[in-house]
């Protein structure tokens, strides 16, 4: 099946292909570009720690950090090493694991077809032995240690631990030195055979690319996989937070903080809802806001301060982060401002300005082939299409935003995470 | 992306570089200012922040931010860099192409106007910046210097720079130093501003689509009233290290940080540039490099171990995050890899991978306005205008012999190790 999706206003279009192997493929050509970018991803991330296949009876519970570990190990096969193959073509290759997906990618200005073949091949060739698993434990332990010294990362994950009691967003993506020591080749095969089913995966390419070449390579390399579905089990999550305050001491010179309100619990959020919340946060706390000016004038924040809507499968937090000599006072002021904005509502002037800004940012995002390909993957896993954000934006009303504001910033569900100097 | 490149002299030491293309959805304009590293770094770094804080036309940054939002979320940013022995201040604005404007106005023209108003019409009254804003930005700059220490790999590199370049200008921090910043007053800062517009070497980049003639005319008018006396941009090159200097510190961190500073044997930034660039990449660039293959993959000592050439100063830094007890092992392994290249012990296919990878990276630069802008900004110190494709062609010509010769010119100068005092301990909190 093949479908072309076009947006006249943006002057862009892309092709969606449901390949006979079960894989969803997106091809987004960009005229005039000399480089290309490809990403091959599975809907499998650090939060998928307990799951069941539709063709099996039992549940699997796996160690924290397995998705990330698998990402590292997939580059190596019995006879081929993906790094070496990409080195021969000159492509830049990489991979990353988030809460809810694992992605393998390359960018190149030459040899696109050859690189795509390497990408499809190595992701489809798992090879795990006791020896190679053991070797990787040393490298990943160093990666975990590196993040332990990163104040921004630690303050975010401490916040998530303070906000979420049961949802696995509260565990580190790479796991712990202890949890990864429990990983065996069998664990990796179980996860691979479940989540790397092509029906659970997506391929997105953008830039100097052509749909025919992509289909030709997919036909050559990909064999059909059974269309199984996967149930991920999440324990019930309370609407309240675990604790309102958490701190840790690291070798920092300026305290680092993350502050967030827990959003109502639901599995997926629509693009419209995420956009609406982004507008609310923009009006409340971006550089155009009175709050930002007040915090800066009082010397409570620096230019690191930012607000974002932090969300994924089963979790969402209105997140404020930055550096401050007095994080508690920053949090108090944010809470006070949320009470005020909820009382008086958002003005038309603020709404229109923020919408204009988001309109421009949405257009800007279509410049960058890397951003386009990554966003194609993210929107696919959400069951949406790439242009929907741009389309929804023009239909959004002030009334929608003010209605959503009422259910945002729950005064009884927020936490502050602080990293203090040792 | 194809683009037509041109360069126009605006005033003494001021040029405009234009990359004309309709291929992007955005356009970008930047001002880069270069001056030799000196005690004035502090004042100039402060300027980079102060001129975005307010201006004659905009009483505070809230008004500036609202104007940017109305210009469809145009983004304004400033950065401070150290390139060779120069401090570079860069102020840039990115915005959507005019064809997407909903009200028919020219976003490009408005953005050029806004950026130039901020730079040329600062909030100076009676020969003085605003006191409250000056104090606020001083505090932020001091905090920025402090927070560099939060990132331990940056901290370790800065410490290495202080030791290795003790008697060279390169030891200076790009943001200046706390003592000098403390002493800045609204008056002295206004003086520094006037002096800076006269003496800095300036490059204006315009990437994308705009009314270039109108923009150039506008720039010429702005500079017509400034008495320019641009300084000569210079960097001292030291060919080789003598006795290896070593220092270490202990901190309560989880992971130790090893930094090694080498002299690349370059007499200036063009001296054997291409062969040294390929050699450094083969040594510690991609997954085909010696450091990745041996120190990470074979020895499992680290997650990252990489080498970076700073051609504008003729130096190479190797950085790695390791367990403190592995310091000697890692150091010896890193040196052994360099010795291997000197002895010609590397595979032709790895050399080819390195060349292909560099060529590939040069090939992707022209596909984003930001990368193109950065590319031409950095050439301010050499007053060049070379396309990435020209570099790629020269990289292709580098031979095995060139790489061996380049490696043989490299000498170790300084080693710095940030040791962990709690190595091996697992934290139990949180």
């Amino acid at each position: 099946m093949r479908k072309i999706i076009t947006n006249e206003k943006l002057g862009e279009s892309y092709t969606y292909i449901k390949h006979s192997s079960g894989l969803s493929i997106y091809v987004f050509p960009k005229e005039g570009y000399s480089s290309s970018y490809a990403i091959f991803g599975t809907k499998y991330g650090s939060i998928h720690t307990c799951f069941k296949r539709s063709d099996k009876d039992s549940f699997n519970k796996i160690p924290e950090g397995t998705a990330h570990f698998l990402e590292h190990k997939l580059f190596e096969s019995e006879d081929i090493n993906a790094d070496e193959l990409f080195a021969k073509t000159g492509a830049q290759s990489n991979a990353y694991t988030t809460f809810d997906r694992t992605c393998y990618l390359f960018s190149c200005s030459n040899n696109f077809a050859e690189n795509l073949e390497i990408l499809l091949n190595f992701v489809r060739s798992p090879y795990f032995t006791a020896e190679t698993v053991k070797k990787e434990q040393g490298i990943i332990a160093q990666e975990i240690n590196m993040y332990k010294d990163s104040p921004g990362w630690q303050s975010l994950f401490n916040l998530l631990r303070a906000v979420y009691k049961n949802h696995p967003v509260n565990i580190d993506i790479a796991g712990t030195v202890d949890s990864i020591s429990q990983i065996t080749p069998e664990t990796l095969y179980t996860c691979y055979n479940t989540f790397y089913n092509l029906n659970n995966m997506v391929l997105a390419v953008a830039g100097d690319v052509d749909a025919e070449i992509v289909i030709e390579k997919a036909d050559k390399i990909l064999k059909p996989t059974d269309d199984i579905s996967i149930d991920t089990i999440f324990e019930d999550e309370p609407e309240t937070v675990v604790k309102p305050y958490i701190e840790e001491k690291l070798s920092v010179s300026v305290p680092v903080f993350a502050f967030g309100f827990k959003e109502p619990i639901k599995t997926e959020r629509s693009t419209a809802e995420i956009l609406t919340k982004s507008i609310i946060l923009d009006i409340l706390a971006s550089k155009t806001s009175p709050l930002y000016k007040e915090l800066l004038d009082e010397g409570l924040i620096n230019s690191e301060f930012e607000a974002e809507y932090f969300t994924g499968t089963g979790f969402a937090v209105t997140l404020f982060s930055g550096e401050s000599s007095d994080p508690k006072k920053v949090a108090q002021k944010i809470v006070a401002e949320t009470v005020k904005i909820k009382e008086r509502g958002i003005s038309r002037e603020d709404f229109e300005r923020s919408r204009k800004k988001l309109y421009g940012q949405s257009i800007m995002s279509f410049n960058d082939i890397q951003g386009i390909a990554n966003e194609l993957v993210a929107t696919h896993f959400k069951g949406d299409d790439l242009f929907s954000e741009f389309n929804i934006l023009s239909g959004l009303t002030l009334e929608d935003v003010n209605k959503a504001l009422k259910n945002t910033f729950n005064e009884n569900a927020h936490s502050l995470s602080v990293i203090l100097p040792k | 992306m194809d683009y037509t490149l041109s360069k126009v002299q605006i005033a003494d030491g001021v040029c405009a570089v234009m990359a004309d293309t309709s291929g992007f959805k955005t356009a970008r304009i930047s001002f880069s200012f270069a001056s030799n590293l000196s005690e004035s770094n502090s004042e100039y770094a402060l300027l980079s922040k102060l001129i975005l804080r307010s201006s004659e036309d905009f009483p505070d940054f809230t008004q500036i931010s609202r104007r940017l939002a109305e210009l469809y979320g145009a983004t304004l940013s400033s950065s401070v860099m150290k390139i060779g022995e120069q401090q570079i201040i860069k102020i840039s604005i990115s915005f959507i192409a005019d064809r997407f404007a909903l009200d028919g106005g020219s976003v490009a023209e408005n953005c050029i106007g806004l950026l130039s108003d901020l730079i040329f019409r600062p909030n100076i009254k009676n020969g003085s910046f605003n006191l409250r804003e000056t104090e606020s930005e001083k505090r932020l700059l001091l905090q920025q210097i402090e927070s560099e220490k939060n990132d331990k790999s940056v901290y370790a590199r800065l410490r290495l720079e202080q030791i290795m370049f003790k008697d060279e200008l390169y030891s200076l921090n790009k943001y200046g130093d706390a003592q000098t910043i403390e002493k800045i007053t609204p008056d002295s800062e206004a003086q520094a501003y006037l002096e800076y517009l006269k003496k800095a070497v300036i490059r204006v980049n315009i990437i994308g689509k705009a009314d270039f003639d109108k923009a150039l005319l506008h720039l010429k008018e702005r500079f017509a009233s400034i008495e320019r006396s641009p300084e000569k941009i210079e960097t001292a090159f030291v060919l080789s290290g003598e006795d290896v200097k070593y220092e270490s510190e202990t901190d309560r961190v989880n992971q130790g940080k090893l930094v090694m500073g080498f002299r690349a044997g370059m007499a200036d930034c063009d001296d054997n540039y291409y062969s040294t660039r390929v050699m450094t990449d083969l040594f510690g660039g991609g997954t085909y490099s010696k450091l990745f293959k041996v120190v990470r993959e074979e020895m499992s000592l680290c997650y990252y171990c990489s080498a970076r050439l700073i051609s504008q100063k003729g130096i190479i830094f190797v950085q790695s995050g390791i367990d403190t007890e592995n310091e000697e092992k890692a150091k010896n392994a890193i040196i052994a890899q360099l010795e291997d290249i000197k002895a010609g012990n590397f595979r032709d296919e790895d050399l080819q991978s390195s060349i292909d990878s560099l060529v590939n990276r040069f090939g992707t630069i022209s596909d984003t306005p930001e990368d193109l802008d950065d590319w031409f900004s950095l050439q301010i110190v050499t007053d060049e205008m070379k396309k990435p494709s020209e570099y790629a062609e020269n990289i292709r010509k580098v031979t095995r012999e060139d790489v061996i010769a380049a490696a043989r010119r490299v000498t170790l100068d300084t080693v710095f190790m940030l040791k962990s005092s709690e190595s091996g301990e697992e934290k139990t909190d949180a």
Side-chain angles (χ1 to χ4, degrees):
Chain A
M1 198 227 9
R2 202 196 270 224
K3 199 167 67 174
I4 293 175
I5 298 113
T6 303
N7 187 297
E8 301 282 346
K9 282 187 191 152
L10 284 167
E12 300 283 3
S13 75
Y14 62 90
T15 305
Y16 169 74
I17 301 140
K18 179 73 181 174
H19 189 252
S20 54
S21 62
L23 181 67
S24 287
I25 300 175
Y26 293 86
V27 182
F28 198 121
K30 287 287 286 180
E31 204 185 327
Y33 280 59
S34 41
S35 55
S36 8
Y37 186 95
I39 179 164
F40 193 11
T42 167
K43 194 175 183 177
Y44 172 43
S46 63
I47 63 172
H48 299 101
T49 51
C50 182
F51 56 86
K52 180 181 137 5
R53 289 167 54 136
S54 56
D55 59 346
K56 297 267 166 73
D57 295 328
S58 59
F59 285 98
N60 289 88
K61 195 146 173 37
I62 53 162
E64 295 175 3
T66 303
H68 172 260
F69 201 99
L70 178 47
E71 172 226 300
H72 270 239
K73 278 330 303 165
L74 212 47
F75 278 84
E76 217 174 302
S77 292
E78 189 165 11
D79 44 356
I80 53 165
N81 178 310
D83 285 329
E84 279 177 26
L85 294 174
F86 279 122
K88 284 196 173 65
T89 67
Q92 312 295 310
S93 68
N94 212 336
Y96 65 84
T97 306
T98 69
F99 293 114
D100 42 21
R101 61 182 190 268
T102 311
C103 295
Y104 303 83
L105 56 100
F106 69 82
S107 82
C108 67
S109 45
N110 290 304
N111 309 321
F112 173 76
E114 201 183 326
N115 287 318
L116 183 62
E117 197 165 314
I118 297 170
L119 178 69
L120 294 178
N121 262 324
F122 92 81
V123 175
R124 299 311 295 159
S125 314
Y127 176 71
F128 315 120
T129 67
E131 190 192 346
T132 63
V133 166
K134 189 164 189 310
K135 192 201 83 180
E136 206 65 24
Q137 279 158 351
I139 294 171
I140 295 180
Q142 285 307 321
E143 190 179 357
I144 291 170
N145 277 337
M146 181 177 82
Y147 280 112
K148 274 191 191 165
D149 286 330
S150 163
W153 186 265
Q154 286 307 321
S155 79
L156 173 64
F157 277 86
N158 287 346
L159 177 77
L160 293 171
R161 284 185 267 273
V163 170
Y164 286 94
K165 182 166 185 280
N166 298 321
H167 192 287
V169 71
N170 66 7
I171 60 175
D172 257 303
I173 289 173
T176 63
V177 173
D178 181 50
S179 76
I180 62 167
S181 70
Q182 298 159 28
I183 294 172
T184 63
E186 290 69 38
T187 327
L188 298 180
Y189 278 116
T190 302
C191 294
Y192 184 89
N193 290 331
T194 304
F195 292 101
Y196 285 69
N197 180 302
L198 289 172
N199 293 283
N200 195 48
M201 298 184 76
V202 61
L203 171 70
V205 302
D208 181 17
V209 293
D210 171 65
E212 302 317 313
I213 291 174
V214 178
I215 294 169
E216 186 197 315
K217 293 295 173 196
D219 287 347
K220 181 178 160 192
I221 297 161
L222 304 176
K223 296 179 187 71
T225 47
D226 295 337
D227 191 1
I228 57 155
S229 61
I230 305 153
D231 284 328
T232 306
I233 313 302
F234 298 114
E235 277 183 60
D236 283 345
E237 176 66 36
E239 298 285 343
T240 52
V241 298
V242 181
K243 46 183 160 179
Y245 182 76
I246 183 168
E247 68 175 39
E248 183 184 341
K249 290 196 164 104
L250 282 180
S251 172
V252 294
S253 46
V254 186
V256 174
F257 71 90
F259 175 67
F261 293 85
K262 191 175 194 171
E263 286 274 277
I265 302 302
K266 55 167 118 166
T267 314
E268 290 293 347
R269 271 156 236 272
S270 69
T271 304
E273 183 175 357
I274 294 170
L275 262 181
T276 307
K277 300 279 177 168
S278 303
I279 287 185
I280 292 172
L281 281 174
D282 181 62
I283 292 167
L284 180 84
S286 78
K287 284 187 178 173
T288 56
S289 70
L291 173 67
Y292 192 100
K293 184 168 161 50
E294 184 188 340
L295 291 171
L296 193 73
D297 284 349
E298 291 187 24
L300 285 168
I301 55 165
N302 58 27
S303 55
E304 299 288 308
F305 180 75
E306 59 180 10
E308 68 167 310
Y309 197 60
F310 185 85
T311 181
T313 309
F315 64 91
V317 173
T318 50
L319 175 68
F320 305 83
S321 58
E323 300 174 346
S324 176
S325 51
D326 192 351
K328 284 184 181 164
K329 198 154 178 205
V330 175
Q332 278 167 15
K333 293 213 177 254
I334 292 171
V335 173
E337 193 66 18
T338 61
V339 172
K340 264 199 272 175
I341 200 172
K342 283 170 86 165
E343 272 169 18
R344 66 164 191 263
I346 284 168
S347 73
R348 182 155 301 277
E349 188 193 356
D350 283 347
F351 168 69
E352 291 299 346
R353 188 193 305 114
S354 178
R355 184 160 68 160
K356 219 170 168 188
K357 178 172 164 183
L358 263 66
Y359 166 81
Q361 285 174 349
S362 181
I363 289 169
M364 288 182 192
S365 69
F366 287 93
N367 238 0
D368 170 24
I369 56 172
Q370 186 173 338
I372 290 170
N374 279 285
E375 213 37 50
L376 278 166
V377 171
T379 48
H380 172 80
F381 287 147
K382 267 180 61 185
D384 212 336
D385 90 81
L386 187 62
F387 297 133
S388 68
E389 180 182 300
F390 182 80
N391 293 333
I392 289 166
L393 200 53
S394 54
L396 217 58
T397 67
L398 175 62
E399 290 66 40
D400 296 336
V401 175
N402 271 322
K403 200 175 149 203
L405 179 61
K406 292 201 172 76
N407 300 319
T408 314
F409 310 126
N410 179 353
E411 269 181 84
N412 301 314
H414 54 72
S415 304
L416 172 66
S417 156
V418 180
I419 302 293
L420 291 169
K422 268 183 186 170
Chain B
M1 186 68 68
D2 286 331
Y3 54 95
T4 314
L5 195 60
S6 56
K7 186 176 167 192
V8 172
Q9 181 85 16
I10 302 283
D12 192 6
V14 183
C15 73
V17 170
M18 290 159 287
D20 185 355
T21 172
S22 301
F24 296 123
K25 293 201 142 40
T26 62
R28 182 173 171 92
I29 294 159
S30 71
F31 280 72
S32 299
F33 301 82
S35 62
N36 291 321
L37 291 171
S38 72
E39 277 199 346
S40 304
N41 290 353
S42 306
E43 287 167 326
Y44 302 157
L46 189 64
L47 275 182
S48 76
K49 299 174 174 299
L50 215 40
I51 61 169
L52 298 193
R53 180 85 186 235
S54 64
S55 74
E56 224 177 288
D57 312 277
F58 296 97
D60 60 37
F61 74 92
T62 312
Q63 300 306 316
I64 298 176
S65 302
R66 289 183 174 181
R67 177 70 180 142
L68 290 166
E70 274 149 18
L71 288 167
Y72 306 96
T75 53
L76 182 67
S77 61
S78 74
S79 59
V80 182
M81 290 170 282
K82 180 160 81 175
I83 306 295
E85 288 181 335
Q86 281 76 48
Q87 180 198 41
I88 312 284
I89 305 268
K90 183 166 171 178
I91 298 172
S92 53
I93 189 165
S94 282
F95 46 89
I96 59 168
D98 283 345
R99 62 183 189 276
F100 295 112
L102 297 170
D103 50 15
S106 170
V107 188
E109 198 176 328
N110 280 315
C111 285
I112 295 173
L114 173 61
L115 187 61
S116 116
D117 280 350
L118 294 174
I119 292 170
F120 295 100
R121 291 163 58 81
N123 194 4
I124 296 180
K125 291 198 179 93
N126 304 319
S128 186
F129 274 105
N130 178 291
L131 175 64
R132 201 171 44 80
E133 290 184 352
T134 307
E135 289 306 319
S136 166
E137 290 299 338
K138 275 167 69 177
R139 174 185 68 80
L140 294 172
L141 185 59
L142 288 167
Q143 224 178 72
Q144 193 158 4
I145 293 174
E146 277 298 299
S147 22
E148 276 191 314
K149 296 178 190 162
N150 284 359
D151 184 331
K152 296 303 159 195
S153 61
V154 172
Y155 173 74
R157 202 200 64 238
L158 290 175
R159 285 289 297 123
L160 177 102
E161 287 181 9
Q162 287 167 357
I163 302 158
M164 180 161 168
F165 307 102
K166 194 163 81 61
D167 303 315
E168 293 165 69
L169 284 175
Y170 200 79
S171 60
L172 295 178
N173 187 301
K174 62 181 178 180
Y175 295 122
D177 65 283
Q179 272 186 325
T180 318
I181 294 167
E182 296 281 8
K183 285 188 212 138
I184 295 175
T185 67
D187 285 10
S188 68
E189 189 64 4
Q191 280 302 318
Y193 166 80
L194 294 172
E195 180 198 335
Y196 197 50
L197 277 193
K198 286 182 191 167
K199 80 165 201 188
V201 171
I202 300 171
R203 181 174 277 207
V204 183
N205 288 341
I206 309 178
I207 316 281
K209 241 330 161 227
D211 187 335
F212 291 100
D213 291 336
K214 210 168 173 179
L216 290 175
L217 199 68
H218 175 82
L219 287 171
K220 280 182 183 157
E221 280 169 14
R222 289 291 199 196
F223 279 102
S225 57
I226 298 167
E227 255 180 72
R228 294 275 303 158
S229 55
E231 69 178 5
K232 191 171 182 299
I233 295 292
E234 288 174 309
T235 294
F237 281 71
V238 174
L239 282 174
S240 59
E242 290 170 5
D243 297 336
V244 178
K245 298 184 273 287
Y246 175 84
E247 277 192 33
S248 69
E249 273 175 26
T250 302
D251 193 0
R252 298 169 70 184
V253 290
N254 288 290
Q255 185 181 63
K257 304 285 179 195
L258 174 66
V259 196
M260 301 170 80
F262 297 83
R263 303 280 182 179
M266 295 168 75
D268 60 54
C269 59
D270 292 326
D271 184 21
N272 288 298
Y273 167 76
Y274 296 102
S275 51
T276 310
R277 182 80 198 256
V278 173
M279 184 277 298
T280 308
D281 191 70
L282 178 67
F283 179 35
T287 53
Y288 45 79
S289 72
K290 289 264 180 192
L291 295 183
F292 187 92
K293 277 191 176 177
V294 177
V295 185
R296 171 174 150 144
E297 294 294 304
E298 271 175 33
M299 301 175 79
S300 290
L301 285 179
C302 60
Y303 173 63
Y304 69 91
C305 183
S306 60
R308 193 160 64 95
L309 169 69
I310 296 165
S311 60
Q312 295 92 345
K313 177 67 185 163
I315 50 177
I316 295 167
F317 291 140
V318 170
Q319 293 193 254
S320 186
I322 53 172
D323 276 340
T324 302
E325 70 232 32
N326 288 331
E327 181 186 344
E328 285 307 314
K329 221 193 258 179
K331 240 177 356 198
N332 292 338
I334 291 165
I335 292 168
Q337 299 321 304
L338 183 62
E339 291 304 318
D340 255 9
I341 300 180
K342 289 183 184 179
N345 292 333
F346 54 87
R347 302 191 306 173
D348 283 331
E349 50 195 287
D350 291 332
L351 171 61
Q352 195 54 47
S353 292
S354 172
I355 289 173
D356 289 343
S357 163
L358 287 165
V359 166
N360 185 69
R361 275 178 270 165
F362 285 123
T364 60
I365 288 172
S366 65
D367 277 354
T368 77
E370 292 75 21
D371 288 351
L372 258 188
D373 178 29
D374 285 345
W375 174 264
F376 290 113
S377 303
L378 291 188
Q379 293 180 14
I380 189 174
V381 295
T382 44
D383 195 28
E384 285 176 330
M385 192 182 65
K386 275 195 203 151
K387 285 187 172 189
S389 50
E390 286 179 56
Y391 275 74
E393 279 166 34
N394 287 313
I395 289 283
R396 285 219 175 278
K397 293 180 194 146
V398 174
T399 64
R400 164 175 274 273
E401 288 67 38
D402 294 338
V403 167
I404 295 171
R408 288 181 179 166
R409 281 189 289 270
V410 176
T411 45
L412 179 60
D413 187 297
T414 304
V415 177
F416 178 78
M417 177 73 197
L418 181 66
K419 297 180 177 184
S420 158
S421 59
E422 40 197 59
S423 179
E425 274 175 37
E426 268 301 300
K427 264 210 304 289
T428 50
D429 51 347

